[in-house]
Amino acid sequence: MAAAQVQRMSRLMVKTLRDDPADAETLSHKLLVRAGYVRRNAAGIWTWLPLGKKVLDNISNIVREEMDAIGAQEVLLPALLPKEAYEASGRWDEYGDLLFRLKDRKGADYLLGPTHEEIFTQTVKDQCTSYKDLPVMLYQIQTKYRDEARPRSGVLRGREFQMKDSYSFDTTDEGLAESYALHREAYRKIFARLGLDYRIVSAVSGAMGGSASEEFLAPAAAGEDTFVDCPSCEYAANTEAVTFAATAVDAAGTGPVEELDTPDTPTIESLAALLGVPASATLKNLLVKVDGEIVAVGVPGDREVDLGKLGEHLAPAVVELVTAEDFADRPDLVRGYVGPQGLDEVRYIADPRVAPGTAWVTGANKADTHARNVVCGRDFEVDDHLDVVVVEEGDPCPACGAGLKLDRAIEIGHIFQLGRKYADTFQLDVLGQQGKPVRVTMGSYGIGISRAVAALAEQTADGQGLCWPAEVAPADVHVVAAGKALQTEVALDVAARLAEAGLRVLVDDRAGVSPGVKFTDAELLGVPKILVVGRRAGEGVVELKERRTGEREELALEEAVSRLRG
């Protein structure tokens, strides 16, 4: 085994902090800054300092090894991209303010790439002309850019971030399914090697298009994604992908529509209190604009509309709430008293819980007036049933009916079967076996490299600091010289011997730094094994500590070295 490098803290650019940064909210943000792994340059923009860069590179190398193992080929595309490709796909407009846009000195438009489907498609179109050139899987580890409105949580949500994105190109849907399965298994191996606790959940494709879509989520309190997990079966999904099956109801016994005088009841709460009915018996109608067109969305009164979920269903259309000005332009829409019955020229979307035959108390489209016994399918029609409510703890599992559990997580990976969306846009065809053009089908697969650093910190840190898994850590062993010249001399000698055996060694040989500070820093930096060369060094005795468990043992120096060498 080749000798590894010894990193001496007396020469290493690392500055640890005793206190949390004032602007830090999440555990990973606090610890990565305090341990000197990253430094903030501006909102959402970070410098990776030497130790942080080593962790980032270790994750990248694991990803690279597993991608190579499935036959994917690494490339590197530019981050600075011409407008035309994204204009052709429609994403120049769809991305909106998320895109970093710029002009060159000649006035031509460019962007900093948020993702590279368009450019990979063009690359394959240029390089592959026959079915014999396919299938092919390409990947890159690249810096991506998104102009987040509120960059936060340290490197978890930045405006510049590291990502592995890969793309598969096949001539058949069966081939796409095989490429997707290869990536899925590679991701399982990657996250297992990283030491991440993760869940594979069903997801929606949204603006990405395509059919099958799954997310890899790392459960963590700092997570911005909410997912559901069924305790009774294997079902797990992003909340935006949870569905509810509509069940028709027999409305034969429901009386005719009855209008009710309900002054000063513009909210569900005030209406339910006045009539003495549960909120679940009322029908809430939210008005939104979809690409500028007013659309009504109906859900039971005790539920909220999930605008993110609605947006995913209607992507790439832009969804926004109506304003007071919109009501002024439409006197037929009475604010606080809208009902689906009698709505003219308004598309009506309803949650599946608003099923045919269900009867509701809802707005009567008159000020201070509601209506009772308004039946779906009899008094109003639903143009589209879409599952758009905010999922709640205890909602029925779509697979087995048991109550679902909610949890927070960090999205660390996402895989899509894109299909032919981008191939159609760029006319990506190859000559088929029969001598005729065949349209290529694609998959898209992403892993957040810098995000994985934060996710690992969130999941593995303890009250003393970071606690990296072995394959990810910036070193295998942290040797601490807790004393004066003798301890430092022994520590450097031990470090050299361990490095000769192929172990990556960080040695704290700083002069003028107290043992207490060195011990605190060793806990904070999070290297898996800590070897303390202390007061008994002259006797040939050292202390070996497991960072994760806290277990420590005094050993003869030679035995400690032998044990660490394995």
Side-chain angles (χ1 to χ4, degrees), residues 128-133 171 429-438:
C128 301
T129 57
S130 166
Y131 74 94
K132 297 178 182 178
D133 300 324
T171 56
D429 297 327
V430 294
L431 193 65
Q433 288 181 291
Q434 308 304 319
K436 296 181 180 180
V438 174

